Structures are given as C-alpha cells and as structure tokens.
Amino acid sequence: MNNLLRIVLLLLTPIMVNAAPNGQQLFEKNCASCHGTSGQGGVGIPLSLPSFINSVSDNYLRKSIRYGRPGRVMPSFNNLSDDNVLSIVQYMRTWTGKEGKIFSKKHVKGNARAGKKLFNQYCISCHNSGGTGGVGTGVTFSRPRDAAIVAPSLNNPGFLSSAEDLFIKDTLMNGRPGTPMMSYKAHGLSEQDINNLVKYIRDFEGGPYPYKDYDTEEPIIKVESPYSMAETIQNIKDAIIGKNFKLIRTQELNKGLVPAGTENKKQLIIYFCNFNFLNKALAIDPRVGMFLPCRVTVVEQNGKVFIMATNPLKLASIFNNNELIEACKEMHSIYSELLEEASL
Ligand code: HEC
Ligand code: HEC
C-alpha cells in the first residue's frame, strides 16, 4: 500500500467507526454483564450456543432486545436506536458465522387443552405452572447449582411478542443441545402433541408490565402518631415483637454523622428483622439488601410525632422481577400494619 493511501485510510477510519455503531462494544456495554462477554451465559441464558443462536430469527433477537422480559431479569432496551439494536444482532451472528433462521408468521394449529395437559406433564418442572419460568433470578447464589440455566418464562409478554409460532415449534422439535431443554420429538412426542403445546403457549396471557403498576407509589409511608415520642417508640417495639420480628437496635438518624453525644434524639431509627423472611427474600435476589433489615423512622417535628418507612412498593417499580415484587408487597403490608398498630 502506498503511503498516501495509508494516510487517507487512517483519516477515514474514525469516520467509518462513527458511521456504523460497533455491535461488539454495544454488546459488551449492555449485555455482557448478564450474558457473558462472548455470550457464553451467566445470569442470562447462553446466547452464543449454536443451538440457540442458529435457531432464532433476527426478528426474534431484535424484538427481545427491545421488549426485554418484563417481570423477569432481562431489561427492555428502549434507549438503543434501531441501528444499535441491528448492529448488536449482527455482532451476535459472528459467533457462529451463520445467518439467522427465517420463520413465517403463520400460526400453528393445535388444541390448547391437550397442550395444557402435556405441559403440566412434561414442562412445569422447569418452566413452572402457567409458563411463568424458572424460580430465582439466576443472580449469584439464588440460582440452584444443578440448574445452571434458569428456564425462561414462556407466558411473558416480551417473549410472546417476539417469538413466532414456528420458532417455538422448532425449539420443541429440536431442543437446545447444551442446555437442559431437550428435543421433545426425540423424547417421543408426536408432531401433533407439539402443535398442541405451541397453541397452549401462544394462548398464555402475557399480562401487563407488572412493575409499571407501582410507578406512582409514594416513596415514603408516613402516619402521625397521637402519642409522645417515647410512647410511640414503645408501641412500635411492642408491635414488632407481636409480629414475631426481632428488634435489632434503635439509633439516632444522624448517629455517626455528628460528634458523639450531639445526636438528634428526636429522629430515631428502629431496625428489626425476621430471619426467615430475610433468608427467603435474599434467596430470591440479593437486591433485597436495599430494604433489609426492616427499619422504621420516628421523628418529632414541631410537637408532632410521625412514623415513617420507605415504601417497599416504590422499590418494586425499580426491580423488574415478579418474585421480588411479591416480597415488596409482603413488606408493604407488614409496614402498614406496624404503623397503624403503633399509632392507634
Ligand atoms: C440484567 C441481566 C440482563 C441483561 C443486562 C441482558 N439480559 Fe438478556 N436475558 C436475561 C435473562 C435472565 C434472560 C432469560 C429471561 C427469562 O428468564 O425469562 C434473558 C433473555 C434474553 C434473550 C432471550 C433468550 C431466549 O432463550 O430466547 C435474548 C435474545 C437476550 N436476553 C439478549 C440480550 C441482549 C442482546 C442484551 C443486551 C442488549 C441483553 N440480553 C441484556 C438477562 C439479561
Ligand atoms: C429440564 C428443564 C426443562 C424442561 C423439562 C423443559 N424446558 Fe424448555 N427450556 C429450558 C431451558 C433451560 C431453556 C433455555 C434454553 C437456552 O438456554 O437456550 C428452555 C427453553 C424453552 C423454550 C424457548 C424459550 C426461549 O425464551 O428461548 C421453549 C419454547 C420451551 N423451553 C418450551 C418447553 C416446553 C413446551 C417444555 C415441555 C414439553 C419444556 N420446555 C420443558 C428448560 C426446560
């Protein structure tokens, strides 16, 4: 190559890089934390396995990135441009060098009732009843060791709006070698059985995006107590113990932030816990650490006493996860009852 050409190419390079988004970089930035730097899997299922990547359409990948899996761990990437999504898909194709499959949008004809019977017999052990998906988010220790890949949710609006019937059928016919998902044709089901299963899955009500319901929740639950500061604190402690929680400690809100001895005695936090609940919740997802141990704040302001707690339902709107939302709901009712009992 002559020198002039080399210089011209060098000058052009940055422009070319800017023109086409870099799929690999986008993948590493947005997806690798869960699916692994080269798609080998992690919290998210392995994407670079040939049995997965060669069996899905570009359309399925593009839509899955856009819609995510609301209520599961997989986020929806609304922030990426169409070009960015496309270049991620193109990058994913380089893993095997093969083009994606193309499925028509044709619906598979089958009998959903017969499909349901088969589903309950063959599939719920992994995909759960109603196709809600494997339990546990797959985040760190919440994932059982013998289930390295959590079975995806099949009743999920993100899945149902991305998957073609014929893709679902293909998955059931061939399985995903290298994962716990086997070929049900090899396992003895007839093609009609498989059509019935596809119809049953297609008929799942994906339901609304669950976490959106909590967007409008107030960040704090707050009640006024008719009692003095000391009485209110005693009431809360009684209520906590009455609910089989363990008191951990009571401390000033600004303890450690101001010189010892000058803490504000009119702003106290009561920490408490129920170890069963704590373990159950941590097994779902370590992010519950954001609201555990349980705490209630008591504040005296202009002669009035208030009891306050972070609203766990507000947190539900940040967790894209149905099981965590259940834990948040449980926490919300515990807090509400405590606050009510203590101020009655
Ligand atoms: C916070 C973790 C997380 C991130 C970030 C994430 N994913 Fe996922 N992804 C998951 C999980 C978990 C699943 C399985 C969904 C389920 O359990 O129902 C999944 C599922 C998928 C699926 C469907 C797989 C299948 O079996 O059909 C695709 C495709 C996918 N992710 C691609 C991506 C891409 C591309 C990105 C980046 C743009 C990305 N994901 C970012 C966690 C994540
Ligand atoms: C032993 C556990 C197990 C059983 C039993 C099982 N699956 Fe799966 N299934 C999985 C796993 C794990 C995956 C994700 C595979 C991957 O990583 O690509 C999966 C993927 C799928 C997919 C693709 C979904 C997606 O997001 O890509 C469909 C559809 C599916 N299974 C349907 C079924 C049906 C219907 C049955 C019963 C006939 C069944 N599965 C039985 C574990 C199981």
Side-chain angles (χ1 to χ4, degrees):
M1 209 189 296
N2 76 43
N3 277 340
L4 185 64
L5 188 58
R6 201 169 278 159
I7 290 168
V8 169
L9 276 181
L10 267 178
L11 286 174
L12 277 177
T13 311
I15 303 172
M16 296 191 313
V17 167
N18 281 341
N22 183 322
Q24 178 168 2
Q25 282 171 7
L26 285 167
F27 185 89
E28 282 166 5
K29 180 160 170 247
N30 295 288
C31 325
S33 55
C34 292
H35 291 284
T37 39
S38 49
Q40 75 276 22
V43 168
I45 71 140
L47 299 172
S48 58
L49 265 184
S51 65
F52 172 74
I53 194 71
N54 295 344
S55 72
V56 297
S57 63
D58 285 359
N59 181 52
Y60 176 74
L61 293 175
R62 273 207 314 268
K63 288 189 170 172
S64 292
I65 296 170
R66 271 274 176 267
Y67 303 145
R69 295 288 183 267
R72 304 282 290 173
V73 179
M74 167 79 190
S76 48
F77 290 89
N78 298 320
N79 57 325
L80 295 175
S81 69
D82 287 348
D83 280 355
N84 284 351
V85 171
L86 188 66
S87 59
I88 292 175
V89 171
Q90 283 165 348
Y91 164 67
M92 292 169 76
R93 291 287 172 215
T94 65
W95 288 327
T96 57
K98 294 222 167 90
E99 298 206 345
K101 282 209 181 169
I102 295 174
F103 296 102
S104 78
K105 294 214 158 56
K106 225 178 77 193
H107 282 296
V108 164
K109 288 201 178 67
N111 177 325
R113 275 185 52 198
K116 179 176 183 177
K117 267 178 89 175
L118 292 165
F119 193 87
N120 289 345
Q121 186 179 349
Y122 292 104
C123 324
I124 57 168
S125 56
C126 295
H127 290 281
N128 253 313
S129 125
T132 49
V135 177
T137 56
V139 179
T140 61
F141 58 84
S142 70
R143 175 195 290 167
R145 270 173 210 281
D146 56 351
I149 308 171
V150 173
S153 153
L154 303 175
N155 76 340
N156 192 278
F159 173 71
L160 290 172
S161 6
S162 307
E164 306 89 351
D165 280 16
L166 289 170
F167 158 62
I168 301 177
K169 177 170 178 176
D170 211 52
T171 305
L172 297 183
M173 297 286 276
N174 303 317
R176 298 256 174 92
T179 82
M181 179 66 197
M182 63 173 145
S183 154
Y184 280 87
K185 189 164 166 260
H187 195 61
L189 294 194
S190 68
E191 190 168 349
Q192 189 55 53
D193 287 337
I194 287 180
N195 287 347
N196 295 344
L197 278 163
V198 174
K199 176 70 175 140
Y200 174 61
I201 293 172
R202 176 52 66 199
D203 283 358
F204 280 141
E205 292 246 337
Y209 289 34
Y211 55 95
K212 286 270 188 278
D213 298 350
Y214 304 105
D215 271 0
T216 52
E217 283 288 328
E218 295 293 328
I220 302 279
I221 324 174
K222 182 175 176 180
V223 297
E224 189 179 341
S225 164
Y227 304 101
S228 72
M229 180 92 181
E231 284 166 335
T232 305
I233 287 171
Q234 193 53 50
N235 289 349
I236 294 175
K237 287 184 176 173
D238 292 344
I240 287 172
I241 291 165
K243 290 201 171 307
N244 281 325
F245 278 81
K246 246 183 129 65
L247 276 170
I248 301 177
R249 65 174 186 279
T250 304
Q251 75 175 44
E252 297 83 8
L253 191 63
N254 60 357
K255 186 182 165 83
L257 301 173
V258 294
T262 67
E263 295 93 355
N264 187 347
K265 303 275 178 217
K266 294 189 185 271
Q267 297 184 348
L268 294 181
I269 314 184
I270 303 168
Y271 290 93
F272 56 102
C273 184
N274 169 323
F275 288 100
N276 269 339
F277 181 77
L278 185 77
N279 286 333
K280 207 173 80 193
L282 279 173
I284 301 173
D285 191 320
R287 284 179 295 176
V288 294
M290 280 174 71
F291 62 82
L292 293 173
C294 307
R295 43 193 172 255
V296 168
T297 306
V298 186
V299 174
E300 190 182 324
Q301 234 169 20
N302 308 326
K304 287 182 178 171
V305 177
F306 295 98
I307 317 174
M308 294 183 279
T310 307
N311 184 352
L313 287 181
K314 185 69 187 179
L315 293 171
S317 70
I318 349 179
F319 302 133
N320 181 23
N321 184 285
N322 288 328
E323 286 176 84
L324 265 191
I325 291 175
E326 284 310 310
C328 289
K329 281 192 202 158
E330 200 175 328
M331 287 289 306
H332 180 264
S333 68
I334 290 168
Y335 278 163
S336 307
E337 287 169 27
L338 275 180
L339 265 54
E340 197 183 304
E341 276 175 37
S343 59
L344 264 185

